[in-house]
């Protein structure tokens, strides 16, 4: 199989989690840049990365990279790339673009020039003047950064956070990819209890259950590149079969999920069922102040209410104060809380051992991490 270069895109702050996933999957030549994890593999790496990456946003196939200071240069160097190796004669393709700190700053012009160059290249290879464009879909991306153009094709299609289990949401849901990164960064593993006492539609506990049972997050959805003849349906089938065989059926997970809203719990149960992990999670309707978990050395991971309206902010401050009191009962547990509240530590009553900056959608948030003791040390 021929070697391919891939780029897994990631939200700010999540790159290290994606890098560890990429390495765990056995890909080589792994490097990291802002929002990008680059790696190499053979053609089967495309379905494997799409099926298994939990924290990445998309998997892009890198076609080429070069300096482009003029539009003529952009056209010529784009034309020189091997587009015909991937895009079929009946392929339907669009071009997206972005430009940062580059002489070629007009995104619409860059997109038009790349589109023209690809069309001319395909005309010369397929010896036709007009294309049906009723076949597989290809989304080309031209990304200019400091005059370096990177040309890619999106292999994912719909973004990877769309697992297929969350058809409905509660207000202010957390993305599946961010929830998975929060779990990956935490001290939780499948042998430990986990509690999310603000579970909403169930994203954090469901992602934990998928990790605990080794279920590929993309197993129940489709991807744009499944229709590409250059990969072939047999390779996709092999990777899907391997993913199904990798599922751990005989494991007892200790995942607890609660929310004060009964409708949220019903929705979370429905989502867990769609994800195939409803038997892995215990759901409760409860105010977080009333939760009692008897196990020791567990992990709390939660996304408490943000209070985006001014009228809600006082209530959020009370919740943050009460979290400090309630969570202190769990003296052997590690606690991980994501919130945009800049005065969270003061309200919670304790400085975090570590914190990271993330974005939950367009909201800048901090991930406060409080590390519990090692088993047997208390």
């Amino acid at each position: 199989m021929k070697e391919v270069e891939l780029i897994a895109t990631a939200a700010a702050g999540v790159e290290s989690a994606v890098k560890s996933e990429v390495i765990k999957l056995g890909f080589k030549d792994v490097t990291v840049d802002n929002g990008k994890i680059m790696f190499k593999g053979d053609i089967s790496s495309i379905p494997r990365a799409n099926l298994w990456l939990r924290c990445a946003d998309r998997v892009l196939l890198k076609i080429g990279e070069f300096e482009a200071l003029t539009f003529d240069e952009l056209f010529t160097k784009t034309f020189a790339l091997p587009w015909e190796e991937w895009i079929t004669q009946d392929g339907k393709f669009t071009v997206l673009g972005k430009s940062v700190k580059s002489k070629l700053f007009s995104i619409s012009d860059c997109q038009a020039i790349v589109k023209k160059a690809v069309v001319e290249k395909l005309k010369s290879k397929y010896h036709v003047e007009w294309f049906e464009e009723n076949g597989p879909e290809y989304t080309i991306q031209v990304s200019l950064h400091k005059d370096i153009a990177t040309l890619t094709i999106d292999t994912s299609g719909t973004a990877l956070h769309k697992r297929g289990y969350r058809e409905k949401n509660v207000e202010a849901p957390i993305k599946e990819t961010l929830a998975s990164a929060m779990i990956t960064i935490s001290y939780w593993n499948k042998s430990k209890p986990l509690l999310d006492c603000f579970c909403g539609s169930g994203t954090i506990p469901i992602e934990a259950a998928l990790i605990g049972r080794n279920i590929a997050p993309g197993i129940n959805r489709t991807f744009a590149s499944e229709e590409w003849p250059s990969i072939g349906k047999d390779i996709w089938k092999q990777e899907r079969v391997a993913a199904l065989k990798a599922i751990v059926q005989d494991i007892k997970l200790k995942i607890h999920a609660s929310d004060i809203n009964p409708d949220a719990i019903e929705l979370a149960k429905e989502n867990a069922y769609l994800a195939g992990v409803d038997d892995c999670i215990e759901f409760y309707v409860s105010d977080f102040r009333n939760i009692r978990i008897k196990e020791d050395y567990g992990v709390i991971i939660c996304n408490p209410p943000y209070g985006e309206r001014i009228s809600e902010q006082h209530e959020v401050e009370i919740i943050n104060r009460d979290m400090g009191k309630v969570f202190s009962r769990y003296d052997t547990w590690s606690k991980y809380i994501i919130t945009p509240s800049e005065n969270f530590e003061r309200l919670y009553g304790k400085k975090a051992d570590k914190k990271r900056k993330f974005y939950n959608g367009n909201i800048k948030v901090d991930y406060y991490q409080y590390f519990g003791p090692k088993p047997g040390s208390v």
Side-chain angles (χ1 to χ4, degrees):
M1 291 187 187
K2 69 176 180 179
E3 186 176 79
V4 294
E5 289 187 68
L6 300 173
I7 300 171
T9 62
V14 177
E15 294 96 340
S16 64
V18 177
K19 180 186 176 183
S20 66
E21 287 189 286
V22 167
I23 291 170
K24 188 177 177 183
L25 286 169
F27 301 129
K28 59 185 181 179
D29 297 339
V30 181
T31 56
V32 180
D33 200 352
N34 288 337
K36 299 190 298 184
I37 295 80
M38 289 76 74
F39 57 99
K40 293 178 182 177
D42 59 29
I43 201 82
S44 67
S45 303
I46 295 174
R48 193 176 310 135
N50 277 293
L51 287 166
W52 282 103
L53 288 178
R54 301 180 188 278
C55 308
D57 291 335
R58 294 179 180 279
V59 178
L60 308 179
L61 171 67
K62 182 177 172 182
I63 304 298
E65 190 170 78
F66 50 79
E67 185 180 58
L69 300 175
T70 66
F71 289 129
D72 283 345
E73 196 172 16
L74 180 62
F75 178 91
T76 303
K77 291 180 177 178
T78 299
F79 181 89
L81 296 175
W83 299 103
E84 73 285 356
E85 292 182 11
W86 298 98
I87 301 177
T88 56
Q89 184 172 331
D90 61 350
K92 177 183 178 182
F93 72 91
T94 54
V95 180
L96 304 178
K98 59 182 178 180
S99 179
V100 179
K101 298 178 182 176
S102 296
K103 289 183 174 62
L104 303 181
F105 57 84
S106 171
I107 294 169
S108 58
D109 286 338
C110 291
Q111 288 172 242
I113 285 162
V114 167
K115 174 94 175 181
K116 184 180 179 183
V118 175
V119 168
E120 292 303 317
K121 181 60 171 286
L122 296 179
K123 279 183 181 179
S124 70
K125 290 296 180 180
Y126 292 125
H127 307 292
V128 295
E129 286 299 315
W130 186 77
F131 296 97
E132 291 278 353
E133 292 199 57
N134 58 4
E137 294 193 9
Y138 305 85
T139 301
I140 296 169
Q141 296 189 10
V142 50
S143 175
L144 284 145
H145 182 250
K146 295 182 179 177
D147 298 321
I148 300 298
T150 305
L151 279 294
T152 60
I153 307 177
D154 180 4
T155 72
S156 301
T158 304
L160 294 182
H161 76 275
K162 298 281 190 180
R163 317 286 207 219
Y165 67 75
R166 203 170 72 175
E167 295 179 358
K168 302 173 189 172
N169 289 317
V170 294
E171 191 177 349
I174 195 165
K175 264 190 179 180
E176 295 87 334
T177 44
L178 179 55
S180 202
M182 289 163 61
I183 297 160
T184 301
I185 289 163
S186 80
Y187 281 176
W188 184 77
N189 61 54
K190 60 189 176 184
S191 67
K192 292 184 176 183
L194 182 142
L195 167 64
D196 177 4
C197 49
F198 301 95
C199 76
S201 56
T203 308
I204 292 171
I206 290 170
E207 289 296 316
L210 292 173
I211 292 169
R213 289 190 58 196
N214 201 39
I215 298 173
I219 198 73
N220 291 321
R221 55 158 287 178
T222 58
F223 303 90
S225 52
E226 285 189 69
E227 301 302 318
W228 297 1
S230 49
I231 299 174
K233 292 190 181 295
D234 285 347
I235 290 175
W236 269 99
K237 184 178 179 180
Q238 288 166 17
E239 292 299 325
R240 283 192 178 277
V241 169
L244 287 168
K245 287 181 178 178
I247 296 172
V248 179
Q249 301 285 0
D250 56 344
I251 186 170
K252 177 65 176 171
L253 299 173
K254 295 170 282 189
I255 300 175
H256 307 272
S258 68
D259 199 282
I260 198 169
N261 182 351
D263 292 337
I265 290 296
E266 285 306 307
L267 181 56
K269 286 180 178 178
E270 186 179 327
N271 289 342
Y273 175 78
L274 290 172
V277 294
D278 51 309
D279 58 332
C280 300
I281 306 166
E282 289 190 54
F283 289 102
Y284 316 88
V285 177
S286 177
D287 188 303
F288 77 96
R289 300 169 184 90
N290 301 325
I291 287 290
R292 298 286 188 277
I293 306 294
K294 293 180 181 178
E295 294 110 330
D296 290 324
Y297 300 104
V299 177
I300 294 170
I301 304 177
C302 63
N303 175 35
Y306 291 175
E308 293 177 42
R309 292 186 287 270
I310 292 173
S311 60
E312 299 169 334
Q313 288 177 5
H314 179 62
E315 185 182 343
V316 169
E317 288 187 0
I318 293 171
I319 288 172
N320 289 344
R321 282 197 182 95
D322 288 350
M323 261 196 291
K325 297 170 189 173
V326 172
F327 289 1
S328 66
R329 297 179 198 150
Y330 298 92
D331 57 347
T332 66
W333 286 52
S334 297
K335 296 102 179 179
Y336 298 82
I337 303 122
I338 192 167
T339 175
S341 299
E342 293 182 1
N343 59 349
F344 174 79
E345 289 168 303
R346 178 179 62 79
L347 294 166
Y348 185 82
K350 188 177 180 183
K351 186 174 174 59
D353 294 305
K354 192 174 183 180
K355 70 176 184 178
R356 285 187 185 226
K357 290 194 183 300
F358 289 136
Y359 280 87
N360 186 13
N362 294 322
I363 302 171
K364 189 176 82 169
V365 293
D366 283 303
Y367 191 36
Y368 294 93
Q369 303 166 61
Y370 296 89
F371 305 140
K374 290 181 180 179
S377 61
V378 173

